[in-house]
Amino acid sequence: MAKKGKVKISKVKRNNQTTNKMRKQGKLRLQRHRNKAQKQRQPTQTQEPIYSSDSDAASGDEWADMLDEEEQKYILGRIAKQPNLLSNIPEENKKEQKKPKKRKITPEHTKNALSSDSGAETETDNSDVEEKYEAEMAERPAKKLRPLLPIKTKDGILERSEECEDTDSDEEQPDEVPEPSENKEESQDSDSGMEVAGEELEGTDEVVTAVQLLAARRDKLKHEKLRIGALCSSLLENPERKLKNLYPILYLMDEHLKDGTPNLVSVRKLASVSAAEVFRDILPDYAIRHQDYSDVKLKKDTLALYKYEKELLEFYKRYLQRLEKAASVMRRKKGDNRQLEESETSLALVSLRCLCALLQARPQFNYAGNIAQTVLPYLASRRADARDTVTQCCQQVFTDDNKGEITLKIVKLINHLVKKRGTRLHPGALECLLALRIRDVDLDAEADLKHKKKQEEKHKKRIVNLSKKEKKRAKKLKEVERELLETEAREDSEARKKQLTEVTKTVFNIYFRILKTAPNSQLLEAVLTGLAKFSHVINVEYYSELVSLLSRLCGDGEASAGLLGRRARLQCARAALAVLAAAGDALNFDPAHFHAQLYANAINVHAGGTCSEARIVLEAACEVCARARRVSPLVLRALAKRLATLALQAAPHAALAALHIVCNLMQSSSSLQSLLEPEDASGAGRYDAQCGAPAQCGAQAAVLHELAALRRHYQPALRQAAGTLLARAAPLHKSPMHIYDEYDGSQMSFKPAITPPARVRQRPAQTAHSAWAQRDFKLHCEAVEDTVQLNILFA
């Protein structure tokens, strides 16, 4: 184990801590005005020196006589290849000679110097400018360079350094190696040149206009579009080999690029949507389950597939993490009232749509549960578009799910959300539960299973008497059939039934909790709608308790006065009547209270603001019609009269469905036929339409006078239905709610579509001509034209 104690830190880090501390306390004196430059380490540049003809002549007198011709040629060749060979030879008159002005040596100057011997250094014309630069440099503080590790090139070892902040710490001074005076001057000159270049760049900067910024953004966006498109297309051509193309796509989803500049929001959106489309195409429909094959020798193809699936999962995980981070902007904590920017909100919505699209496309793939756990909390979001996106996603998943695993996961998450948020939850969070396929559950599965076992036993007895060849053939056929079932992705009926049972329990747990704890919440409408739809799968033990609870909610007593509105009362009546229709004879309960609620509130439904309540009334009337044999004929007569009145003031599609229910009621009870015979109702009392009790309104004296008005309705189908009802003919073989949806014109379209009128051919236009009323006057005018000469002279 390591020794416990203070953590060792480097000398440089300790100096930086001391400097920062002194700077905060105000004790640090910044050395801004120093004429002397500090000792600096400048990287030695491998510049080729320029030799003049004078220096060659002077040096030639010293060593030319001592060498042979071959040795002279060899040394000259070496000097041509390595000009630095004699650069360190001291000169005698070096102190007496005046140092020439230094200039920047470019590769072109070096080449010219090597090609010709007359390349003596001369003073440039920019001496005044250089003096000005040196004067400015003298007033500025010298930069401090920190040495870096050298690198090895083909020309030799190149030392490097980088700029760092100037500090007054004396601990760093001994570490610096003193350099010759020439190197100091060279470093000063080079530093001054860099500063001047920076000043020139700053001085030449122009003001960037908005048009230039927009043009640069457009060019950047166009470039990234082409890049993303090329990466995605090449990846889709061969995913096994081009999976690495996801690296730059995921990089473009980051908020900042590698150089620290912020990334464009439009580029991030494009990268997110493109990657979502790519994953939807390349992801399989099954979950990838990997094991440790490190000790197992695999085939080449199997190993390649294993590596590909492993990399695919890794990229998919990174992509989901980026989407979750971008979408989490809309999830605020309690008390967070910050105003979000429009760009952040739009990016969050795009990320949320990508997550929902992946969940819809691949609900059985890996991380589907994680996506659901990330997406479901947005059902409680303040933004309606985010809630609608998640609701549509859940509805699509419920509709397409064949296994039930992801459905159970989502329903449990909604249950947890209801527990956590309570009455603050938006009612749209429970609307997605209406898309569950609980209604399609086969309740006779046990009988089918027993029948299947009997058939298998008979088949087994028949196989016993088969020959070996026939048994072998039957075995192969059975294996082929099993493989075909696997390719069709058929799940075991028992496993699916177990999943649906858990889903049903969780859904009704949500509904019962809201009915008991928060009957006044805004979630009550979605709960009552769900109870009416899934009433047939409720356990018989809960029927009595549920009906009693609904009766208390829509009661007229003092405890429940003003508790619910008209729409909620209608929904309670619909749910209770649906439960009673599903229970059949198993529940002994008098539904007179719910009949009264339906009859009293149906008169207020019309084609105006209460048009949406017509569907609730019609569904409740259908439930009454389903159990018409257990209902009093007087109540059925009153309900038929109320539906005929509703048809006069409702929309055409609702009126058509109401007439269809009236026709079904007449067929179920022969006593309702007298509604079409006004003579039989005379002397039997008076019908009171304002009475709220269907059994006390005098329905025995009611007559369907409304059918006479409906026969002259502008809707052709409604006119035909009224005539069929008066003629006591059979109605259409369709359910009332199917007719309601089929003829619904609320989306500003005719249902069914009306054929356009035939095109009328236009007659050709006739040429205009004059006509004479008196023939004698016509002859007189023609005679005058013939005799009179009309010669007009122009002056």
Side-chain angles (χ1 to χ4, degrees), residues 135 154 210-211 274 305 332 336-337 371 400 481 489 546 548 571 580 594 719 725 733 772:
K154 62 180 181 179
V211 177
S274 302
L305 180 61
R332 298 185 179 182
D336 188 4
N337 297 322
I371 298 176
D400 299 338
E481 289 177 358
L546 180 59
S548 302
Q571 288 177 338
L580 290 173
F594 300 111
R719 289 198 305 266
L725 191 57
H733 296 285
W772 295 87

Side-chain angles (χ1 to χ4, degrees), residues 436-559:
L436 288 169
R437 296 168 59 181
I438 301 176
R439 197 177 185 89
D440 301 330
V441 177
D442 189 6
L443 300 178
D444 299 329
E446 295 182 359
D448 294 342
L449 186 61
K450 291 180 180 179
H451 179 69
K452 187 178 179 181
K453 286 184 178 179
K454 291 181 180 179
Q455 295 294 333
E456 288 180 353
E457 289 178 359
K458 292 180 180 179
H459 183 64
K460 183 178 180 181
K461 292 179 180 178
R462 188 177 61 85
I463 290 177
V464 171
N465 300 324
L466 294 178
S467 62
K468 292 184 178 180
K469 188 178 292 186
E470 291 176 347
K471 289 181 180 179
K472 190 174 182 180
R473 183 180 179 186
K475 185 177 180 181
K476 289 183 178 180
L477 286 174
K478 193 173 181 180
E479 292 178 356
V480 172
E481 289 177 358
R482 189 186 300 112
E483 291 178 357
L484 289 174
L485 290 176
E486 291 177 357
T487 55
E488 292 178 2
R490 291 184 181 177
E491 293 297 323
D492 189 10
S493 59
E494 290 295 329
R496 173 157 178 78
K497 183 180 178 181
K498 187 181 295 184
Q499 296 284 351
L500 289 177
T501 303
E502 293 295 328
V503 170
T504 306
K505 289 180 180 178
T506 309
V507 169
F508 284 106
N509 187 16
I510 296 172
Y511 289 161
F512 290 156
R513 180 186 294 108
I514 295 174
L515 283 176
K516 292 181 179 179
T517 59
N520 290 330
S521 66
Q522 55 186 354
L523 301 174
L524 182 63
E525 181 178 351
V527 170
L528 295 175
T529 305
L531 286 174
K533 186 173 182 180
F534 305 131
S535 58
H536 66 286
V537 294
I538 301 177
N539 197 342
V540 182
E541 300 175 357
Y542 301 109
Y543 277 152
S544 179
E545 182 182 357
L546 180 59
V547 172
S548 302
L549 182 59
L550 293 175
S551 179
R552 289 196 301 269
L553 284 176
C554 63
D556 293 329
E558 294 181 358

Side-chain angles (χ1 to χ4, degrees), residues 593-750:
H593 179 64
F594 300 111
H595 292 162
Q597 290 291 338
L598 174 62
Y599 180 79
N601 293 310
I603 193 64
N604 299 319
V605 178
H606 49 78
T610 60
C611 181
S612 59
E613 299 175 7
R615 187 182 186 92
I616 305 174
V617 173
L618 294 174
E619 288 179 350
C622 289
E623 300 297 340
V624 176
C625 185
R627 56 192 306 271
R629 295 180 181 180
R630 303 183 186 90
V631 182
S632 172
L634 199 60
V635 175
L636 294 178
R637 192 181 183 94
L639 183 60
K641 177 62 178 177
R642 182 52 53 91
L643 290 175
T645 307
L646 174 66
L648 286 177
Q649 58 190 20
H653 62 287
L656 193 59
L659 291 184
H660 194 79
I661 296 175
V662 172
C663 191
N664 290 339
L665 288 173
M666 287 183 178
Q667 288 183 349
S668 61
S669 178
S670 59
S671 62
L672 271 66
Q673 296 293 333
S674 60
L675 289 171
L676 302 176
E677 299 174 358
E679 292 82 5
D680 297 343
S682 60
R686 185 177 63 86
Y687 172 69
D688 186 8
Q690 300 298 327
C691 181
Q696 302 173 4
C697 64
Q700 67 276 3
V703 180
L704 300 182
H705 297 292
E706 295 84 359
L707 296 179
L710 292 172
R711 288 186 68 179
R712 296 186 297 271
H713 200 274
Y714 70 90
Q715 176 73 356
L718 190 55
R719 289 198 305 266
Q720 184 180 0
T724 303
L725 191 57
L726 284 173
R728 295 179 175 85
L732 298 174
H733 296 285
K734 294 180 180 179
S735 65
M737 302 316 300
H738 181 72
I739 294 175
Y740 181 88
D741 295 332
E742 184 179 357
Y743 289 89
D744 185 10
S746 59
Q747 300 298 326
M748 303 305 293
S749 60
F750 291 105

Side-chain angles (χ1 to χ4, degrees), residues 10-16 18-19 144 167-176:
S10 64
K11 188 183 295 182
V12 177
K13 186 173 181 180
R14 185 169 296 168
N15 292 339
N16 291 340
T18 306
T19 305
K144 188 173 182 180
T167 59
D168 291 336
S169 59
D170 299 332
E171 297 178 5
E172 295 183 5
Q173 297 296 333
D175 296 340
E176 298 180 358

Side-chain angles (χ1 to χ4, degrees), residues 210 232 254 321 668 705 783 791:
C232 293
D254 294 336
Q321 289 174 350
S668 61
H705 297 292
N791 296 329

Side-chain angles (χ1 to χ4, degrees), residues 379-396:
L379 287 174
S381 177
R382 302 177 184 176
R383 296 185 61 90
D385 45 6
R387 294 195 303 268
D388 295 342
T389 301
V390 180
T391 302
Q392 294 175 6
C393 172
C394 294
Q395 291 175 352
Q396 189 67 29

